Amino acid sequence: MTASPSRSPLREIALLFLKLGTTAFGGPAAHIAMMEDEVVRRRAWLTRAQFLDYLGATNLIPGPNSTELAIHVGHARAGWPGLVVAGVCFILPAACIVAGIAALYVRYGAVPEAAGLLYGVKAVVIAVVAQALWALGRTAIKSRWHALVGAAAAIAVVAGLHEIAALVAAGVAMLLLYRAQGAQDAQGAQGMGIALLQAGSTAGAASVAGAAVTSGATPVGLWPLFAVFAKIGAVLFGSGYVLLAFLRADLVERFGWLTEQQLLDAVAVGQITPGPVFTTATFIGYMLAGPAGATVATVAIFLPAFVFVALSGPLVPRIRRSPAAGAVLDGVNVASLALMAVVSVQLARAALVDIPTVLLALVAGALLIVARINSAWLVLAGAIAGILLKY
């Protein structure tokens, strides 16, 4: 689908990701589902296969997956300017909302109540994620072997295997299956692309980690704040719970900048606001050093994502052109969807708690599939319904 005459690709990217940054509640799985709805189903900027390849690539590098996927989409749509515009526009609304809540928190010492809003939003998010999983799964699962590898990855993660280990194992399994089927591909060097991508990311993460500060001065300086959050953004794989562990280790135990309660409040705000969960850094930065601290912490934790996507993004189409490397990427893709499915089940158990929430999810799913209602509007409707049902 080409851009309309009245809108440049950059303008289209900016408007889309500003909207998603304002309405994408529910964490990375929900964000990815909403992006699939917008850029694959509605705008056809990417095919489902391309979308899956970028999703698989984001799972192999550190940082916030949904933000990195937004950056990949921007780059695919409008080159390097699109990369920057998509990332900034996805982050900015959430960061502004979180900064506003942080200002209230600093003044009044409490987080605003959002139970009613989340009550409805979470139910709708389950429907959005389920639709995306179904659509992406139909593209990713090309054979019974893909289905078996995806199922094995899900079981392994539930059993306690680390997410990255599951992704790598799935990629290796599909490569071995490809070799076993007697394919004669002479482009073995490109087949190392995924592994090199991950190794480069890890090396970059280690170099940034070395810049971490070693003393916890009070008040907190902007450079130490930048160093701590840049390190976290460069080395963190996994969910918001992993983010909590990193933040606690550095900010509570190592430096003593926050209390346990302040950290929990910051993480709660990151979870209940739209957009990337990493905007928890915005809240903490505001608490520690005001508006300047909020800006510095936000830039620091997201900057590695831009760097890693800029380095890895151009490799993805090349990897796909190699049959051996494509087999690895296929394995990573089905494992990525398996991880998303595991998270979705956990979300559903927390979201679908009574008959009204189950009905909300079913109605949202029907509207999404039959009427093709935009997922952002469904999330907003869910928020209103939740507030009315609660209060």
Side-chain angles (χ1 to χ4, degrees):
M1 181 180 292
T2 58
S4 62
S6 60
R7 291 185 180 177
S8 70
L10 285 180
R11 177 179 169 82
E12 288 183 318
I13 291 168
L15 290 174
L16 172 60
F17 284 103
L18 283 171
K19 179 179 77 171
L20 288 176
T22 307
T23 61
F25 289 88
H31 304 165
I32 291 165
M34 293 179 74
M35 286 184 208
E36 186 274 339
D37 180 49
E38 294 284 2
V39 306
V40 176
R41 297 179 70 213
R42 298 187 172 280
R43 291 167 171 79
W45 290 354
L46 298 175
T47 65
R48 282 205 173 93
Q50 290 172 320
F51 187 87
L52 280 165
D53 285 347
Y54 287 126
L55 176 59
T58 64
N59 279 289
L60 287 174
I61 57 177
N65 289 357
S66 58
T67 304
E68 289 167 344
L69 186 56
I71 297 170
H72 271 303
V73 171
H75 181 260
R77 180 65 175 164
W80 299 108
L83 178 150
V84 175
V85 169
V88 170
C89 288
F90 185 57
I91 296 164
L92 189 61
C96 291
I97 293 168
V98 171
I101 296 173
L104 295 174
Y105 181 87
V106 169
R107 181 166 183 176
Y108 299 109
V111 176
E113 177 62 49
L117 181 144
L118 291 180
Y119 176 76
V121 164
K122 286 181 179 180
V124 172
V125 160
I126 297 304
V128 175
V129 173
Q131 182 277 326
L133 278 171
W134 173 256
L136 293 172
R138 292 173 64 187
T139 301
I141 300 173
K142 304 173 183 178
S143 70
R144 67 181 186 277
W145 295 112
H146 291 88
L148 287 171
V149 168
I155 293 168
V157 170
V158 171
L161 185 67
H162 192 280
E163 291 91 342
I164 299 303
L167 290 166
V168 173
V172 171
M174 288 308 304
L175 177 61
L176 293 176
L177 286 167
Y178 166 78
R179 297 293 189 195
Q181 289 168 354
Q184 301 297 318
D185 176 51
Q187 299 175 353
Q190 281 191 351
M192 296 299 293
I194 288 284
L196 291 174
L197 185 157
Q198 184 184 15
S201 300
T202 305
S207 66
V208 178
V213 296
T214 57
S215 63
T218 304
V220 179
L222 295 181
W223 280 113
L225 194 66
F226 181 90
V228 167
F229 281 103
K231 179 196 75 171
I232 292 171
V235 302
L236 192 150
F237 286 94
S239 67
Y241 298 108
V242 181
L243 174 63
L244 174 60
F246 272 70
L247 293 173
R248 186 178 185 278
D250 274 343
L251 303 179
V252 177
E253 294 183 342
R254 186 178 181 191
F255 299 116
W257 291 349
L258 297 178
T259 66
E260 294 275 7
Q261 186 58 52
Q262 287 173 324
L263 177 60
L264 290 173
D265 287 344
V267 173
V269 169
Q271 296 281 351
I272 67 173
T273 48
V277 176
F278 273 36
T279 50
T280 298
T282 310
F283 188 92
I284 293 171
Y286 195 103
M287 280 198 297
L288 295 176
T295 302
V296 166
T298 304
V299 171
I301 201 167
F302 285 106
L303 183 60
F306 286 88
V307 175
F308 290 147
V309 172
L311 293 175
S312 65
L315 295 177
V316 175
R318 298 181 187 180
I319 291 168
R320 177 51 71 187
R321 286 197 293 270
S322 162
V328 175
L329 194 53
D330 283 343
V332 172
N333 287 346
V334 294
S336 298
L337 289 183
L339 298 183
M340 190 171 166
V342 170
V343 172
S344 300
V345 171
Q346 296 168 345
L347 289 173
R349 291 172 63 185
L352 307 181
V353 295
D354 53 23
I355 292 175
T357 51
V358 172
L359 290 175
L360 271 176
L362 291 174
V363 170
L367 291 172
L368 192 65
I369 294 169
V370 177
R372 297 181 64 86
I373 301 294
N374 189 292
S375 56
W377 294 118
L378 288 175
V379 169
L380 288 175
I384 295 169
I387 292 170
L388 294 174
L389 287 168
K390 272 290 185 181
Y391 300 113

